[in-house]
């Protein structure tokens, strides 16, 4: 079957599938190589959703194999961020101001299914545009899709039921510093509608501060996904006077935050197999990132894959359990109140303070080898060894916290 016919067939299938809605909110960025120290592009999604747990899957698609983030509760196959063995990577943020028709909301929600199929058949941003062009209308989506590829492509696609608007990160008039940030509104959508405006401004401030020293996956995890800076109030909880409780509203990390993933792409000419998906599962401020590669196939680390006993990935379970200890009130509006001293306190024993050095240690153990593999090629056996080395460190970090023995 030709690629065109394959994409047309997928478009027909998509519109006949059971709907699955990605709800609530997300924060994201696409960074071109001009804004990273090593020249490799980045694709980041901080996921906020009503789905409590998620994990990583490896699948072999029609043209390409891929890894992706999927919900643990439904096992429906929807992918919310992922990358394939051609170096094509995709994610989304829900948009709430782009829909311009009367199709009922209950007939929407095919974003995750669309991304799964795109990973299976697309090599490049150009392929993705062709893919969107060939889908049956209505597409049953309202989203900002973010894409990077191994040829230097980097763009957002503000997409509704009938059309899309491309926002090219390589266009200096749109992205003078080499990056674009999206939350839950579209620039081509209805003005002042949508969601995430305060988070958008917070992310703008945080990345502007990061830009001079270089945007890296670790800095995104530490300085954005684990940041409690609020742009409207000019408040950073980590620097503010200590109080036992804090109201959580419009911070980037929220009670609904369930993952933070940074895909580190490749420069043009590099082997696409080097594309690395740095993955924090569960509540990002209390999670630890592991780098993943499509070439590892079904040998993805056990910490990020589905565990039958926990009904999710162990890493997601650990980080989510710590979040629940920091959000202990479940009646009324209790979910909006953080027991802040559980996460951050003057004694330096808060979960954030105990997780941060382990996050950096795990990251650095892999980062040195990743730099070497750019010249020598991906070493899957060494990757497997590193997974075995860091797993006990991660387990040892979480166990006393899970047992609340602070």
């Amino acid at each position: 079957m030709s690629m065109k016919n394959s994409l047309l067939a997928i478009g027909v299938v998509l519109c006949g599938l059971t709907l699955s809605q990605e709800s609530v909110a997300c924060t994201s960025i696409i960074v071109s190589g001009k804004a990273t120290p090593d020249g490799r592009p980045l694709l980041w999604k901080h996921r906020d959703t009503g789905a409590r747990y998620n994990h990583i899957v490896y699948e072999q698609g029609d043209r390409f194999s891929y890894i992706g983030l999927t919900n643990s509760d439904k096992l429906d196959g929807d992918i919310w961020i992922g990358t394939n063995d051609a170096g094509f990577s995709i994610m989304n943020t829900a948009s709430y101001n782009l829909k311009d028709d009367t199709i009922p909301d209950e007939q929407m929600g095919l974003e995750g299914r669309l991304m799964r199929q795109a990973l299976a058949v697309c090599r490049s941003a150009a392929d993705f545009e062709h893919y969107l062009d060939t889908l049956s209308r209505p597409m049953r989506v309202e989203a900002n899709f973010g894409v990077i590829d191994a040829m230097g492509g980097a763009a957002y696609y503000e997409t509704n039921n009938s059309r899309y608007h491309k926002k090219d990160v390589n266009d200096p008039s749109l992205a003078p510093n080499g990056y674009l940030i999206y939350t839950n509104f579209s620039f081509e959508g209805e003005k002042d509608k949508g969601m995430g405006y305060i988070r958008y401004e917070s992310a703008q401030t945080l990345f502007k501060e990061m830009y001079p020293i270089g945007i890296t996956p670790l800095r995104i995890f530490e300085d954005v996904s684990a940041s409690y800076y609020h742009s409207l109030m000019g408040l950073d909880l980590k620097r503010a006077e200590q109080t036992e409780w804090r109201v959580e509203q419009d911070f980037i990390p929220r009670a609904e935050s369930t993952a933070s993933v940074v895909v580190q792409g490749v420069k043009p000419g590099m082997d696409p197999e080097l594309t690395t998906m740095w993955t924090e599962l569960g509540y990002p401020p209390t999670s630890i990132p592991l780098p993943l590669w499509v070439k590892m196939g079904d040998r993805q680390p056990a910490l990020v894959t589905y565990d039958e006993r926990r009904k999710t990935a162990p890493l997601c379970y650990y980080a989510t359990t710590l979040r629940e200890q920091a959000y202990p009130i479940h009646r009324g509006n209790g979910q909006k109140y953080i027991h802040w001293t559980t996460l951050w306190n003057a004694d330096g024993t808060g979960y954030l303070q105990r997780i941060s050095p382990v996050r950096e240690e795990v990251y650095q153990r892999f980062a040195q080898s990743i730099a070497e593999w750019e010249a020598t090629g991906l070493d899957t056996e060494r990757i497997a060894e590193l997974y075995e080395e860091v797993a006990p460190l991660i387990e040892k970090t979480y166990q006393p916290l899970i047992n609340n023995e602070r």
Side-chain angles (χ1 to χ4, degrees):
M1 182 182 290
S2 70
M3 181 178 178
K4 180 177 181 180
N5 289 337
S6 176
L7 295 178
L8 283 168
I10 290 167
V12 173
V13 171
L14 278 173
C15 290
L17 291 172
T18 301
L19 303 184
S20 174
Q21 180 67 42
E22 166 82 337
S23 62
V24 191
C26 295
T27 308
S28 72
I29 193 170
I30 297 178
V31 187
S32 72
K34 68 181 284 187
T36 62
D38 57 8
R40 296 174 60 172
L42 302 174
L43 179 80
W44 168 63
K45 175 175 178 173
H46 180 109
R47 188 187 186 204
D48 300 334
T49 178
R52 183 184 185 193
Y53 290 136
N54 40 207
H55 64 277
I56 296 298
V57 293
Y58 164 78
E59 296 182 1
Q60 295 178 323
D62 293 348
R63 299 182 68 210
F64 303 108
S65 298
Y66 59 89
I67 53 176
L69 180 75
T70 193
N71 291 340
S72 299
D73 56 349
K74 294 182 179 179
L75 300 180
D76 54 13
D78 288 356
I79 297 295
W80 300 108
I81 181 170
T83 187
N84 69 20
D85 53 6
F88 171 84
S89 307
I90 187 170
M91 56 83 173
N92 80 306
T93 69
S95 174
Y96 297 106
N97 69 332
L98 200 58
K99 190 171 180 290
D100 57 2
D101 53 53
T102 59
I103 294 175
D105 289 345
E106 58 267 22
Q107 295 180 19
M108 300 288 288
L110 288 180
E111 291 86 357
R113 204 64 53 90
L114 183 154
M115 289 189 286
R116 177 188 181 187
Q117 296 294 348
L119 287 167
V121 299
C122 294
R123 180 184 297 276
S124 65
D127 281 358
F128 182 64
E129 292 170 30
H130 180 61
Y131 168 71
L132 291 177
D133 290 338
T134 56
L135 289 180
S136 299
R137 266 56 173 172
M139 289 186 279
R140 304 191 188 279
V141 299
E142 184 184 19
N144 306 306
F145 293 106
V147 165
I148 61 173
D149 63 33
M151 284 73 74
Y156 278 98
Y157 296 84
E158 300 183 4
T159 309
N160 66 12
N161 278 321
S162 59
R163 61 186 180 275
Y164 61 88
H165 302 272
K166 180 179 180 180
K167 303 296 182 180
D168 194 340
V169 182
N170 292 308
D171 182 347
S173 66
L174 283 178
N177 290 326
Y179 62 82
L180 288 176
I181 295 167
Y182 270 73
T183 55
N184 301 108
F185 63 92
S186 299
F187 294 97
E188 299 294 334
E190 189 174 354
K191 183 176 173 58
D192 294 329
K193 302 293 185 180
M195 298 170 61
Y197 288 94
I198 294 173
R199 283 183 288 111
Y200 175 81
E201 292 298 334
S202 296
Q204 287 279 24
T205 297
L206 295 170
F207 281 107
K208 183 178 181 181
E209 293 175 353
M210 192 187 305
Y211 178 75
I213 58 176
I215 302 173
T216 68
L218 180 60
R219 289 181 181 133
I220 292 176
F221 292 130
E222 282 281 314
D223 299 341
V224 189
S225 274
S227 168
Y228 291 83
Y229 169 72
H230 195 288
S231 57
L232 183 63
M233 296 190 294
L235 175 70
D236 185 338
L237 296 189
K238 293 180 180 178
R239 299 177 182 176
E241 181 179 354
Q242 285 291 304
T243 61
E244 184 176 4
W245 293 92
R246 286 288 189 176
V247 177
E248 181 255 271
Q249 180 69 44
D250 290 320
F251 293 102
I252 289 174
R254 300 138 62 90
E256 300 87 1
S257 297
T258 63
S260 179
V261 179
V262 180
V263 179
Q264 186 176 25
V266 294
K267 294 179 287 188
M270 285 178 60
D271 193 327
E273 73 177 20
L274 293 165
T275 301
T276 307
M277 194 167 89
W278 293 91
T279 303
E280 286 188 336
L281 295 181
Y283 186 56
T286 58
S287 191
I288 296 169
L290 281 173
L292 310 176
W293 292 270
V294 180
K295 191 173 181 179
M296 293 300 291
D298 57 11
R299 299 169 66 195
Q300 303 300 322
L303 280 166
V304 300
T305 56
Y306 189 80
D307 175 71
E308 183 63 36
R309 181 169 68 89
R310 296 184 176 92
K311 305 302 181 184
T312 189
L315 180 59
C316 186
Y317 174 81
Y318 297 151
T320 301
T321 299
L322 298 190
R323 179 200 68 192
E324 291 172 350
Q325 293 177 7
Y327 288 81
I329 304 175
H330 303 292
R331 61 187 180 184
N333 290 321
Q335 74 278 4
K336 286 298 181 184
Y337 293 86
I338 310 175
H339 191 254
W340 179 241
T341 50
T342 294
L343 294 179
W344 189 271
N345 58 55
D347 295 332
T349 60
Y351 291 163
L352 304 184
Q353 292 151 306
R354 296 178 68 167
I355 292 290
S356 179
V358 183
R359 179 185 292 126
E360 182 166 1
E361 180 177 349
V362 171
Y363 182 91
Q364 295 301 341
R365 286 199 192 191
F366 283 95
Q368 182 176 353
S369 293
I370 289 172
E372 296 172 358
W373 294 333
E374 289 186 11
T376 62
L378 209 60
D379 185 341
T380 56
E381 294 309 310
R382 179 55 183 152
I383 291 171
E385 291 174 358
L386 284 167
Y387 286 153
E388 290 183 5
E389 289 176 12
V390 301
L393 172 62
I394 293 172
E395 296 276 0
K396 182 180 178 181
T397 300
Y398 281 114
Q399 287 311 316
L401 305 182
I402 293 296
N403 296 329
N404 206 23
E405 297 174 358
R406 295 188 296 115

